[in-house]
Amino acid sequence: TPASAPEVSARPPSPEELKQAVAAINQAMKQSNRNLEFTVDTATDKTVVKMVDTSTGELIRQFPSETTLAISRGIEQFQQGLLLRQKA
């Protein structure tokens, strides 16, 4: 591999490492008045990343989108309903 390639770890980052990475990204993004927010959708346990304009509070982009999260919630509810019917 090239000497300039970043080292890839087999383990997921610790919460502290993730926090430091987000802080570094947010510092770089301050020049464009943008900030990243990381949250966890409680219904799906999926990590949600939002890019927000810090001067207006406007949501610029979200990954996954609200539509994708709604579909995921619907699938999960459907699967739980099937499981309950199978147990009955």
Side-chain angles (χ1 to χ4, degrees), residues 58-77:
E58 176 188 1
L59 177 64
I60 298 167
R61 180 114 11 169
Q62 175 178 316
F63 302 99
S65 68
E66 279 299 328
T67 303
T68 302
L69 288 172
I71 290 169
S72 183
R73 290 181 201 117
I75 290 170
E76 196 165 305
Q77 289 174 349

Side-chain angles (χ1 to χ4, degrees), residues 15-26:
E16 185 58 33
E17 290 170 326
L18 187 57
K19 186 187 244 182
Q20 289 174 356
V22 170
I25 292 168
N26 281 335

Side-chain angles (χ1 to χ4, degrees), residues 2-18:
S4 62
E7 186 176 320
V8 178
S9 175
R11 66 172 179 75
S14 71
E16 185 58 33
E17 290 170 326
L18 187 57

Side-chain angles (χ1 to χ4, degrees), residues 33-34 52-60:
N33 289 331
R34 293 184 178 164
V52 179
D53 184 316
T54 54
S55 61
T56 65
E58 176 188 1
L59 177 64
I60 298 167

